Amino acid sequence: MTIRVLLADDQTLVRASFAMLVASAGDMEVVAEAGTGREAVELTRSARADLVVMDIRMPDLDGIEATRLIAADDDLAGVKVLVLTTYDTDEHIVEALRAGASGFLVKDIRPAELLDAIRTVAAGESLLSPGPTSRLIARFLRAPDTATSAVGGPDVLSERERQVLTLVARGLNNTEIAETLGLSPLTAKTHVSRIMGKLGARDRAQLVIVAYESGLVIPKVV
C-alpha cells in the first residue's frame, strides 16, 4: 500500500528536498505540496492525502490551526499529521499535539528517520521522542488553558493499564512496552487500544497529553 504524502512548508527548497526523499521510497508518494496552512487544508481534501508533513510556522494559517481544521473534518478522519518543529525555539508543539497531530519531527532529522517516521505515523502509531516530549510538556503543558480533549482520566484504568499508559507517555512503542512489562506485543497493543477507548483518546499522542496533565507522569525539567 502506497502512503500518499502531502508536504506543507513555506520554504520551497525544504519542500523540494523532502519531496525528492519521499519519492525515493518505494512505498510512498508525494501527492501535493503546500506553501501555506490554508493551502495545506485545501490540498489535503482534494489530493486525498494519507499523511501531512506539516511545518508550524507558515503564512496565512499556521500549522497548528491547519492541523486543527484537518483533525476536526469528518471527511478527513483517516488523515495523519506529522508536525515539523525546531523544538528549542518553537513553543507551540504541545498545542499542535492537542490540535490533532500524531507526532513531531525536528527539522534537522536524518533522511532515513523522516521516512521511518512517515511509515510509523501512517501505520497508526505516534512519533513522540521521549526527551523532547518530556522537556516540552514540562515547559508548556501546565499553562492555564490545558483542558484535554479526552473525556476520561487515569482513574478509570486498571493498574496494568496505568502502567502501560505511563510507558506510552515515556515514548515507548508497543514492542518496547511488551518487553518492559513481560507481555506479548499483541497484548501490549490490546492494552493501548483499550486505554484509548476508556479515555476517549483519538490516538497515542492524546494519551501522552492525558498522562502528563493528570500527573500520572511528572516530566523532568531540563
mmCIF file with all atom_site columns, all heavy atoms in Angstrom, residues 58-82:
data_model
loop_
_atom_site.group_PDB
_atom_site.id
_atom_site.type_symbol
_atom_site.label_atom_id
_atom_site.label_alt_id
_atom_site.label_comp_id
_atom_site.label_asym_id
_atom_site.label_entity_id
_atom_site.label_seq_id
_atom_site.pdbx_PDB_ins_code
_atom_site.Cartn_x
_atom_site.Cartn_y
_atom_site.Cartn_z
_atom_site.occupancy
_atom_site.B_iso_or_equiv
_atom_site.pdbx_formal_charge
_atom_site.auth_seq_id
_atom_site.auth_comp_id
_atom_site.auth_asym_id
_atom_site.auth_atom_id
_atom_site.pdbx_PDB_model_num
ATOM 1   N N   . MET A 1 58 ? 3.980   29.000 9.217  1.00 0.00 ? 58 MET A N   1
ATOM 2   C CA  . MET A 1 58 ? 3.627   29.238 7.813  1.00 0.00 ? 58 MET A CA  1
ATOM 3   C C   . MET A 1 58 ? 2.717   30.449 7.717  1.00 0.00 ? 58 MET A C   1
ATOM 4   O O   . MET A 1 58 ? 2.010   30.776 8.670  1.00 0.00 ? 58 MET A O   1
ATOM 5   C CB  . MET A 1 58 ? 2.926   28.007 7.215  1.00 0.00 ? 58 MET A CB  1
ATOM 6   C CG  . MET A 1 58 ? 3.836   26.829 6.988  1.00 0.00 ? 58 MET A CG  1
ATOM 7   S SD  . MET A 1 58 ? 3.011   25.516 6.040  1.00 0.00 ? 58 MET A SD  1
ATOM 8   C CE  . MET A 1 58 ? 1.770   24.989 7.226  1.00 0.00 ? 58 MET A CE  1
ATOM 9   N N   . PRO A 1 59 ? 2.718   31.128 6.566  1.00 0.00 ? 59 PRO A N   1
ATOM 10  C CA  . PRO A 1 59 ? 1.845   32.285 6.391  1.00 0.00 ? 59 PRO A CA  1
ATOM 11  C C   . PRO A 1 59 ? 0.387   31.868 6.185  1.00 0.00 ? 59 PRO A C   1
ATOM 12  O O   . PRO A 1 59 ? 0.091   30.702 5.959  1.00 0.00 ? 59 PRO A O   1
ATOM 13  C CB  . PRO A 1 59 ? 2.409   32.940 5.120  1.00 0.00 ? 59 PRO A CB  1
ATOM 14  C CG  . PRO A 1 59 ? 3.029   31.819 4.363  1.00 0.00 ? 59 PRO A CG  1
ATOM 15  C CD  . PRO A 1 59 ? 3.585   30.888 5.403  1.00 0.00 ? 59 PRO A CD  1
ATOM 16  N N   . ASP A 1 60 ? -0.492  32.834 6.286  1.00 0.00 ? 60 ASP A N   1
ATOM 17  C CA  . ASP A 1 60 ? -1.919  32.662 6.017  1.00 0.00 ? 60 ASP A CA  1
ATOM 18  C C   . ASP A 1 60 ? -2.616  31.931 7.162  1.00 0.00 ? 60 ASP A C   1
ATOM 19  O O   . ASP A 1 60 ? -3.569  32.431 7.752  1.00 0.00 ? 60 ASP A O   1
ATOM 20  C CB  . ASP A 1 60 ? -2.128  31.917 4.689  1.00 0.00 ? 60 ASP A CB  1
ATOM 21  C CG  . ASP A 1 60 ? -3.591  31.874 4.273  1.00 0.00 ? 60 ASP A CG  1
ATOM 22  O OD1 . ASP A 1 60 ? -4.359  32.719 4.771  1.00 0.00 ? 60 ASP A OD1 1
ATOM 23  O OD2 . ASP A 1 60 ? -3.954  31.014 3.467  1.00 0.00 ? 60 ASP A OD2 1
ATOM 24  N N   . LEU A 1 61 ? -2.143  30.732 7.475  1.00 0.00 ? 61 LEU A N   1
ATOM 25  C CA  . LEU A 1 61 ? -2.691  29.923 8.563  1.00 0.00 ? 61 LEU A CA  1
ATOM 26  C C   . LEU A 1 61 ? -1.544  29.061 9.072  1.00 0.00 ? 61 LEU A C   1
ATOM 27  O O   . LEU A 1 61 ? -0.926  28.346 8.296  1.00 0.00 ? 61 LEU A O   1
ATOM 28  C CB  . LEU A 1 61 ? -3.831  29.047 8.030  1.00 0.00 ? 61 LEU A CB  1
ATOM 29  C CG  . LEU A 1 61 ? -4.713  28.328 9.041  1.00 0.00 ? 61 LEU A CG  1
ATOM 30  C CD1 . LEU A 1 61 ? -5.605  29.327 9.777  1.00 0.00 ? 61 LEU A CD1 1
ATOM 31  C CD2 . LEU A 1 61 ? -5.575  27.285 8.331  1.00 0.00 ? 61 LEU A CD2 1
ATOM 32  N N   . ASP A 1 62 ? -1.234  29.138 10.370 1.00 0.00 ? 62 ASP A N   1
ATOM 33  C CA  . ASP A 1 62 ? -0.085  28.367 10.833 1.00 0.00 ? 62 ASP A CA  1
ATOM 34  C C   . ASP A 1 62 ? -0.405  26.876 10.912 1.00 0.00 ? 62 ASP A C   1
ATOM 35  O O   . ASP A 1 62 ? -1.553  26.450 10.785 1.00 0.00 ? 62 ASP A O   1
ATOM 36  C CB  . ASP A 1 62 ? 0.449   28.898 12.177 1.00 0.00 ? 62 ASP A CB  1
ATOM 37  C CG  . ASP A 1 62 ? -0.523  28.701 13.333 1.00 0.00 ? 62 ASP A CG  1
ATOM 38  O OD1 . ASP A 1 62 ? -1.277  27.706 13.342 1.00 0.00 ? 62 ASP A OD1 1
ATOM 39  O OD2 . ASP A 1 62 ? -0.518  29.543 14.250 1.00 0.00 ? 62 ASP A OD2 1
ATOM 40  N N   . GLY A 1 63 ? 0.644   26.068 11.124 1.00 0.00 ? 63 GLY A N   1
ATOM 41  C CA  . GLY A 1 63 ? 0.478   24.627 11.097 1.00 0.00 ? 63 GLY A CA  1
ATOM 42  C C   . GLY A 1 63 ? -0.424  24.083 12.182 1.00 0.00 ? 63 GLY A C   1
ATOM 43  O O   . GLY A 1 63 ? -1.069  23.046 12.008 1.00 0.00 ? 63 GLY A O   1
ATOM 44  N N   . ILE A 1 64 ? -0.489  24.778 13.321 1.00 0.00 ? 64 ILE A N   1
ATOM 45  C CA  . ILE A 1 64 ? -1.361  24.326 14.409 1.00 0.00 ? 64 ILE A CA  1
ATOM 46  C C   . ILE A 1 64 ? -2.817  24.448 14.013 1.00 0.00 ? 64 ILE A C   1
ATOM 47  O O   . ILE A 1 64 ? -3.615  23.505 14.164 1.00 0.00 ? 64 ILE A O   1
ATOM 48  C CB  . ILE A 1 64 ? -1.081  25.129 15.689 1.00 0.00 ? 64 ILE A CB  1
ATOM 49  C CG1 . ILE A 1 64 ? 0.322   24.852 16.193 1.00 0.00 ? 64 ILE A CG1 1
ATOM 50  C CG2 . ILE A 1 64 ? -2.116  24.784 16.769 1.00 0.00 ? 64 ILE A CG2 1
ATOM 51  C CD1 . ILE A 1 64 ? 0.741   25.736 17.348 1.00 0.00 ? 64 ILE A CD1 1
ATOM 52  N N   . GLU A 1 65 ? -3.196  25.608 13.491 1.00 0.00 ? 65 GLU A N   1
ATOM 53  C CA  . GLU A 1 65 ? -4.588  25.803 13.078 1.00 0.00 ? 65 GLU A CA  1
ATOM 54  C C   . GLU A 1 65 ? -4.937  24.899 11.898 1.00 0.00 ? 65 GLU A C   1
ATOM 55  O O   . GLU A 1 65 ? -6.051  24.373 11.816 1.00 0.00 ? 65 GLU A O   1
ATOM 56  C CB  . GLU A 1 65 ? -4.837  27.273 12.714 1.00 0.00 ? 65 GLU A CB  1
ATOM 57  C CG  . GLU A 1 65 ? -4.835  28.204 13.911 1.00 0.00 ? 65 GLU A CG  1
ATOM 58  C CD  . GLU A 1 65 ? -5.860  27.781 14.964 1.00 0.00 ? 65 GLU A CD  1
ATOM 59  O OE1 . GLU A 1 65 ? -6.990  27.427 14.591 1.00 0.00 ? 65 GLU A OE1 1
ATOM 60  O OE2 . GLU A 1 65 ? -5.504  27.787 16.156 1.00 0.00 ? 65 GLU A OE2 1
ATOM 61  N N   . ALA A 1 66 ? -3.991  24.725 10.988 1.00 0.00 ? 66 ALA A N   1
ATOM 62  C CA  . ALA A 1 66 ? -4.232  23.834 9.849  1.00 0.00 ? 66 ALA A CA  1
ATOM 63  C C   . ALA A 1 66 ? -4.453  22.405 10.342 1.00 0.00 ? 66 ALA A C   1
ATOM 64  O O   . ALA A 1 66 ? -5.353  21.691 9.873  1.00 0.00 ? 66 ALA A O   1
ATOM 65  C CB  . ALA A 1 66 ? -3.059  23.886 8.881  1.00 0.00 ? 66 ALA A CB  1
ATOM 66  N N   . THR A 1 67 ? -3.653  21.987 11.311 1.00 0.00 ? 67 THR A N   1
ATOM 67  C CA  . THR A 1 67 ? -3.822  20.647 11.891 1.00 0.00 ? 67 THR A CA  1
ATOM 68  C C   . THR A 1 67 ? -5.173  20.518 12.565 1.00 0.00 ? 67 THR A C   1
ATOM 69  O O   . THR A 1 67 ? -5.865  19.496 12.428 1.00 0.00 ? 67 THR A O   1
ATOM 70  C CB  . THR A 1 67 ? -2.701  20.376 12.916 1.00 0.00 ? 67 THR A CB  1
ATOM 71  O OG1 . THR A 1 67 ? -1.441  20.386 12.242 1.00 0.00 ? 67 THR A OG1 1
ATOM 72  C CG2 . THR A 1 67 ? -2.901  19.034 13.601 1.00 0.00 ? 67 THR A CG2 1
ATOM 73  N N   . ARG A 1 68 ? -5.581  21.548 13.296 1.00 0.00 ? 68 ARG A N   1
ATOM 74  C CA  . ARG A 1 68 ? -6.873  21.519 13.985 1.00 0.00 ? 68 ARG A CA  1
ATOM 75  C C   . ARG A 1 68 ? -8.023  21.379 12.987 1.00 0.00 ? 68 ARG A C   1
ATOM 76  O O   . ARG A 1 68 ? -8.974  20.625 13.226 1.00 0.00 ? 68 ARG A O   1
ATOM 77  C CB  . ARG A 1 68 ? -7.040  22.785 14.824 1.00 0.00 ? 68 ARG A CB  1
ATOM 78  C CG  . ARG A 1 68 ? -8.310  22.810 15.672 1.00 0.00 ? 68 ARG A CG  1
ATOM 79  C CD  . ARG A 1 68 ? -8.328  23.980 16.613 1.00 0.00 ? 68 ARG A CD  1
ATOM 80  N NE  . ARG A 1 68 ? -7.356  23.809 17.688 1.00 0.00 ? 68 ARG A NE  1
ATOM 81  C CZ  . ARG A 1 68 ? -6.287  24.556 17.873 1.00 0.00 ? 68 ARG A CZ  1
ATOM 82  N NH1 . ARG A 1 68 ? -6.035  25.554 17.030 1.00 0.00 ? 68 ARG A NH1 1
ATOM 83  N NH2 . ARG A 1 68 ? -5.458  24.340 18.863 1.00 0.00 ? 68 ARG A NH2 1
ATOM 84  N N   . LEU A 1 69 ? -7.945  22.088 11.871 1.00 0.00 ? 69 LEU A N   1
ATOM 85  C CA  . LEU A 1 69 ? -9.003  22.008 10.859 1.00 0.00 ? 69 LEU A CA  1
ATOM 86  C C   . LEU A 1 69 ? -9.058  20.626 10.219 1.00 0.00 ? 69 LEU A C   1
ATOM 87  O O   . LEU A 1 69 ? -10.141 20.086 9.972  1.00 0.00 ? 69 LEU A O   1
ATOM 88  C CB  . LEU A 1 69 ? -8.782  23.079 9.789  1.00 0.00 ? 69 LEU A CB  1
ATOM 89  C CG  . LEU A 1 69 ? -9.027  24.526 10.225 1.00 0.00 ? 69 LEU A CG  1
ATOM 90  C CD1 . LEU A 1 69 ? -8.652  25.492 9.102  1.00 0.00 ? 69 LEU A CD1 1
ATOM 91  C CD2 . LEU A 1 69 ? -10.488 24.735 10.624 1.00 0.00 ? 69 LEU A CD2 1
ATOM 92  N N   . ILE A 1 70 ? -7.897  20.050 9.965  1.00 0.00 ? 70 ILE A N   1
ATOM 93  C CA  . ILE A 1 70 ? -7.850  18.712 9.374  1.00 0.00 ? 70 ILE A CA  1
ATOM 94  C C   . ILE A 1 70 ? -8.417  17.682 10.339 1.00 0.00 ? 70 ILE A C   1
ATOM 95  O O   . ILE A 1 70 ? -9.225  16.821 9.979  1.00 0.00 ? 70 ILE A O   1
ATOM 96  C CB  . ILE A 1 70 ? -6.405  18.349 8.974  1.00 0.00 ? 70 ILE A CB  1
ATOM 97  C CG1 . ILE A 1 70 ? -5.949  19.224 7.795  1.00 0.00 ? 70 ILE A CG1 1
ATOM 98  C CG2 . ILE A 1 70 ? -6.290  16.870 8.612  1.00 0.00 ? 70 ILE A CG2 1
ATOM 99  C CD1 . ILE A 1 70 ? -4.473  19.096 7.468  1.00 0.00 ? 70 ILE A CD1 1
ATOM 100 N N   . ALA A 1 71 ? -8.014  17.779 11.614 1.00 0.00 ? 71 ALA A N   1
ATOM 101 C CA  . ALA A 1 71 ? -8.468  16.815 12.612 1.00 0.00 ? 71 ALA A CA  1
ATOM 102 C C   . ALA A 1 71 ? -9.960  16.924 12.884 1.00 0.00 ? 71 ALA A C   1
ATOM 103 O O   . ALA A 1 71 ? -10.611 15.939 13.241 1.00 0.00 ? 71 ALA A O   1
ATOM 104 C CB  . ALA A 1 71 ? -7.687  17.004 13.913 1.00 0.00 ? 71 ALA A CB  1
ATOM 105 N N   . ALA A 1 72 ? -10.531 18.125 12.706 1.00 0.00 ? 72 ALA A N   1
ATOM 106 C CA  . ALA A 1 72 ? -11.950 18.345 13.005 1.00 0.00 ? 72 ALA A CA  1
ATOM 107 C C   . ALA A 1 72 ? -12.860 17.999 11.831 1.00 0.00 ? 72 ALA A C   1
ATOM 108 O O   . ALA A 1 72 ? -14.084 17.955 11.992 1.00 0.00 ? 72 ALA A O   1
ATOM 109 C CB  . ALA A 1 72 ? -12.172 19.804 13.412 1.00 0.00 ? 72 ALA A CB  1
ATOM 110 N N   . ASP A 1 73 ? -12.287 17.728 10.670 1.00 0.00 ? 73 ASP A N   1
ATOM 111 C CA  . ASP A 1 73 ? -13.069 17.440 9.472  1.00 0.00 ? 73 ASP A CA  1
ATOM 112 C C   . ASP A 1 73 ? -13.380 15.943 9.401  1.00 0.00 ? 73 ASP A C   1
ATOM 113 O O   . ASP A 1 73 ? -12.477 15.122 9.253  1.00 0.00 ? 73 ASP A O   1
ATOM 114 C CB  . ASP A 1 73 ? -12.280 17.881 8.240  1.00 0.00 ? 73 ASP A CB  1
ATOM 115 C CG  . ASP A 1 73 ? -13.124 17.871 6.965  1.00 0.00 ? 73 ASP A CG  1
ATOM 116 O OD1 . ASP A 1 73 ? -14.033 17.027 6.869  1.00 0.00 ? 73 ASP A OD1 1
ATOM 117 O OD2 . ASP A 1 73 ? -12.857 18.697 6.077  1.00 0.00 ? 73 ASP A OD2 1
ATOM 118 N N   . ASP A 1 74 ? -14.653 15.592 9.517  1.00 0.00 ? 74 ASP A N   1
ATOM 119 C CA  . ASP A 1 74 ? -15.038 14.180 9.492  1.00 0.00 ? 74 ASP A CA  1
ATOM 120 C C   . ASP A 1 74 ? -14.629 13.489 8.201  1.00 0.00 ? 74 ASP A C   1
ATOM 121 O O   . ASP A 1 74 ? -14.347 12.284 8.193  1.00 0.00 ? 74 ASP A O   1
ATOM 122 C CB  . ASP A 1 74 ? -16.554 14.046 9.683  1.00 0.00 ? 74 ASP A CB  1
ATOM 123 C CG  . ASP A 1 74 ? -16.993 14.416 11.085 1.00 0.00 ? 74 ASP A CG  1
ATOM 124 O OD1 . ASP A 1 74 ? -16.136 14.379 11.992 1.00 0.00 ? 74 ASP A OD1 1
ATOM 125 O OD2 . ASP A 1 74 ? -18.176 14.751 11.275 1.00 0.00 ? 74 ASP A OD2 1
ATOM 126 N N   . ASP A 1 75 ? -14.585 14.225 7.101  1.00 0.00 ? 75 ASP A N   1
ATOM 127 C CA  . ASP A 1 75 ? -14.202 13.638 5.818  1.00 0.00 ? 75 ASP A CA  1
ATOM 128 C C   . ASP A 1 75 ? -12.711 13.318 5.760  1.00 0.00 ? 75 ASP A C   1
ATOM 129 O O   . ASP A 1 75 ? -12.258 12.596 4.872  1.00 0.00 ? 75 ASP A O   1
ATOM 130 C CB  . ASP A 1 75 ? -14.551 14.592 4.668  1.00 0.00 ? 75 ASP A CB  1
ATOM 131 C CG  . ASP A 1 75 ? -16.062 14.741 4.491  1.00 0.00 ? 75 ASP A CG  1
ATOM 132 O OD1 . ASP A 1 75 ? -16.790 13.809 4.880  1.00 0.00 ? 75 ASP A OD1 1
ATOM 133 O OD2 . ASP A 1 75 ? -16.498 15.788 3.988  1.00 0.00 ? 75 ASP A OD2 1
ATOM 134 N N   . LEU A 1 76 ? -11.951 13.862 6.705  1.00 0.00 ? 76 LEU A N   1
ATOM 135 C CA  . LEU A 1 76 ? -10.504 13.638 6.733  1.00 0.00 ? 76 LEU A CA  1
ATOM 136 C C   . LEU A 1 76 ? -10.102 12.830 7.966  1.00 0.00 ? 76 LEU A C   1
ATOM 137 O O   . LEU A 1 76 ? -8.960  12.905 8.431  1.00 0.00 ? 76 LEU A O   1
ATOM 138 C CB  . LEU A 1 76 ? -9.761  14.987 6.732  1.00 0.00 ? 76 LEU A CB  1
ATOM 139 C CG  . LEU A 1 76 ? -10.045 15.912 5.547  1.00 0.00 ? 76 LEU A CG  1
ATOM 140 C CD1 . LEU A 1 76 ? -9.311  17.224 5.719  1.00 0.00 ? 76 LEU A CD1 1
ATOM 141 C CD2 . LEU A 1 76 ? -9.662  15.245 4.234  1.00 0.00 ? 76 LEU A CD2 1
ATOM 142 N N   . ALA A 1 77 ? -11.028 12.036 8.465  1.00 0.00 ? 77 ALA A N   1
ATOM 143 C CA  . ALA A 1 77 ? -10.818 11.317 9.730  1.00 0.00 ? 77 ALA A CA  1
ATOM 144 C C   . ALA A 1 77 ? -9.599  10.404 9.708  1.00 0.00 ? 77 ALA A C   1
ATOM 145 O O   . ALA A 1 77 ? -8.960  10.180 10.731 1.00 0.00 ? 77 ALA A O   1
ATOM 146 C CB  . ALA A 1 77 ? -12.064 10.515 10.081 1.00 0.00 ? 77 ALA A CB  1
ATOM 147 N N   . GLY A 1 78 ? -9.249  9.869  8.555  1.00 0.00 ? 78 GLY A N   1
ATOM 148 C CA  . GLY A 1 78 ? -8.127  8.943  8.483  1.00 0.00 ? 78 GLY A CA  1
ATOM 149 C C   . GLY A 1 78 ? -6.790  9.604  8.218  1.00 0.00 ? 78 GLY A C   1
ATOM 150 O O   . GLY A 1 78 ? -5.759  8.925  8.194  1.00 0.00 ? 78 GLY A O   1
ATOM 151 N N   . VAL A 1 79 ? -6.769  10.916 8.037  1.00 0.00 ? 79 VAL A N   1
ATOM 152 C CA  . VAL A 1 79 ? -5.528  11.619 7.703  1.00 0.00 ? 79 VAL A CA  1
ATOM 153 C C   . VAL A 1 79 ? -4.685  11.839 8.963  1.00 0.00 ? 79 VAL A C   1
ATOM 154 O O   . VAL A 1 79 ? -5.192  12.303 9.987  1.00 0.00 ? 79 VAL A O   1
ATOM 155 C CB  . VAL A 1 79 ? -5.835  12.971 7.037  1.00 0.00 ? 79 VAL A CB  1
ATOM 156 C CG1 . VAL A 1 79 ? -4.532  13.729 6.742  1.00 0.00 ? 79 VAL A CG1 1
ATOM 157 C CG2 . VAL A 1 79 ? -6.639  12.770 5.763  1.00 0.00 ? 79 VAL A CG2 1
ATOM 158 N N   . LYS A 1 80 ? -3.400  11.518 8.885  1.00 0.00 ? 80 LYS A N   1
ATOM 159 C CA  . LYS A 1 80 ? -2.473  11.738 9.989  1.00 0.00 ? 80 LYS A CA  1
ATOM 160 C C   . LYS A 1 80 ? -1.647  12.987 9.712  1.00 0.00 ? 80 LYS A C   1
ATOM 161 O O   . LYS A 1 80 ? -1.339  13.295 8.562  1.00 0.00 ? 80 LYS A O   1
ATOM 162 C CB  . LYS A 1 80 ? -1.527  10.548 10.153 1.00 0.00 ? 80 LYS A CB  1
ATOM 163 C CG  . LYS A 1 80 ? -2.224  9.202  10.277 1.00 0.00 ? 80 LYS A CG  1
ATOM 164 C CD  . LYS A 1 80 ? -3.024  9.089  11.552 1.00 0.00 ? 80 LYS A CD  1
ATOM 165 C CE  . LYS A 1 80 ? -3.618  7.697  11.691 1.00 0.00 ? 80 LYS A CE  1
ATOM 166 N NZ  . LYS A 1 80 ? -4.437  7.564  12.926 1.00 0.00 ? 80 LYS A NZ  1
ATOM 167 N N   . VAL A 1 81 ? -1.297  13.685 10.789 1.00 0.00 ? 81 VAL A N   1
ATOM 168 C CA  . VAL A 1 81 ? -0.460  14.880 10.658 1.00 0.00 ? 81 VAL A CA  1
ATOM 169 C C   . VAL A 1 81 ? 0.816   14.689 11.462 1.00 0.00 ? 81 VAL A C   1
ATOM 170 O O   . VAL A 1 81 ? 0.774   14.375 12.654 1.00 0.00 ? 81 VAL A O   1
ATOM 171 C CB  . VAL A 1 81 ? -1.188  16.144 11.142 1.00 0.00 ? 81 VAL A CB  1
ATOM 172 C CG1 . VAL A 1 81 ? -0.258  17.357 11.044 1.00 0.00 ? 81 VAL A CG1 1
ATOM 173 C CG2 . VAL A 1 81 ? -2.450  16.381 10.319 1.00 0.00 ? 81 VAL A CG2 1
ATOM 174 N N   . LEU A 1 82 ? 1.937   14.878 10.792 1.00 0.00 ? 82 LEU A N   1
ATOM 175 C CA  . LEU A 1 82 ? 3.257   14.781 11.406 1.00 0.00 ? 82 LEU A CA  1
ATOM 176 C C   . LEU A 1 82 ? 3.864   16.183 11.368 1.00 0.00 ? 82 LEU A C   1
ATOM 177 O O   . LEU A 1 82 ? 4.162   16.710 10.307 1.00 0.00 ? 82 LEU A O   1
ATOM 178 C CB  . LEU A 1 82 ? 4.111   13.798 10.614 1.00 0.00 ? 82 LEU A CB  1
ATOM 179 C CG  . LEU A 1 82 ? 5.489   13.424 11.137 1.00 0.00 ? 82 LEU A CG  1
ATOM 180 C CD1 . LEU A 1 82 ? 5.414   12.834 12.531 1.00 0.00 ? 82 LEU A CD1 1
ATOM 181 C CD2 . LEU A 1 82 ? 6.159   12.453 10.178 1.00 0.00 ? 82 LEU A CD2 1
#
